[in-house]
Amino acid sequence: MQPDTCRPPAVILLSKDTVCHNGGARDFAELLPTEMSVRIFGELDTASLCCASRTCRTWNHIIEGSDQLWRNQCLLVRALCQREVDGDRLEGLSWKVALVRNYSRSRLKSDWLKGRFSLVRSADELLGRIMTPLDAESWGEILQAELDR
């Protein structure tokens, strides 16, 4: 089968020389359709996604404009903070806002459930850790996990 001579392979499209000749585009987000860029950004974790949104205006526009990206990240947080995320969504908050409100709480709860604080001997060992209030039901889950260890 003959290669399509009208269109260069995708690898060449993304090479440095081709990029410079095709209108001066600088990165993949300017070359690819937005849907493809969203799929690429969708492979990032929450912290990396937030960093990527601060990289340049193009990336920020794509990331901030994609409810799908924030929804996927928020559903990961929801695995640990279902009541909180569901409550935020019922109040009409966006996926991004629900994620921002519950991200630290989910990280802290995850650390507690994994036993990362099981052997803390003094408050000094917690310096530098972000602490956030947890509800009674979350504490019940954490205490049960400690009892099961």
Side-chain angles (χ1 to χ4, degrees):
M1 180 176 199
Q2 292 291 329
D4 186 358
T5 56
C6 297
R7 195 175 75 197
V11 175
I12 294 174
L13 274 175
L14 297 177
S15 74
K16 185 176 180 180
D17 295 334
T18 305
V19 170
C20 293
H21 295 298
N22 285 340
R26 293 182 306 259
D27 63 47
F28 72 90
E30 293 176 350
L31 290 171
L32 297 174
T34 302
E35 296 80 16
M36 292 298 293
S37 296
V38 167
R39 287 191 65 161
I40 292 168
F41 289 129
E43 296 298 317
L44 300 176
D45 61 24
T46 303
S48 299
L49 187 63
C50 290
C51 288
S53 74
R54 295 188 303 263
T55 300
C56 67
R57 287 184 181 149
T58 302
W59 289 19
N60 179 273
H61 178 73
I62 293 168
I63 293 169
E64 294 297 322
S66 174
D67 203 41
Q68 174 188 350
L69 287 172
W70 299 111
R71 179 184 181 276
N72 292 344
Q73 295 296 325
C74 196
L75 290 177
L76 295 173
V77 166
R78 185 180 178 271
L80 289 170
C81 299
Q82 181 174 353
R83 286 180 317 285
E84 296 89 343
V85 170
D86 289 349
D88 288 347
R89 293 293 295 154
L90 285 174
E91 289 177 23
L93 299 178
S94 70
W95 287 108
K96 181 182 178 187
V97 172
L99 174 67
V100 169
R101 287 181 60 162
N102 294 292
Y103 180 76
S104 294
R105 181 178 293 120
S106 73
R107 300 287 303 208
L108 178 65
K109 190 173 175 183
S110 173
D111 286 348
W112 275 104
L113 291 172
K114 290 177 183 173
R116 294 216 170 108
F117 301 118
S118 293
L119 302 175
V120 172
R121 292 177 290 284
S122 75
D124 293 336
E125 293 180 36
L126 299 176
L127 292 177
R129 293 287 310 176
I130 296 174
M131 295 294 174
T132 184
L134 297 173
D135 62 5
E137 194 167 321
S138 294
W139 281 113
E141 292 174 43
I142 291 166
L143 292 174
Q144 186 60 50
E146 286 295 322
L147 291 172
D148 292 343
R149 275 190 252 290

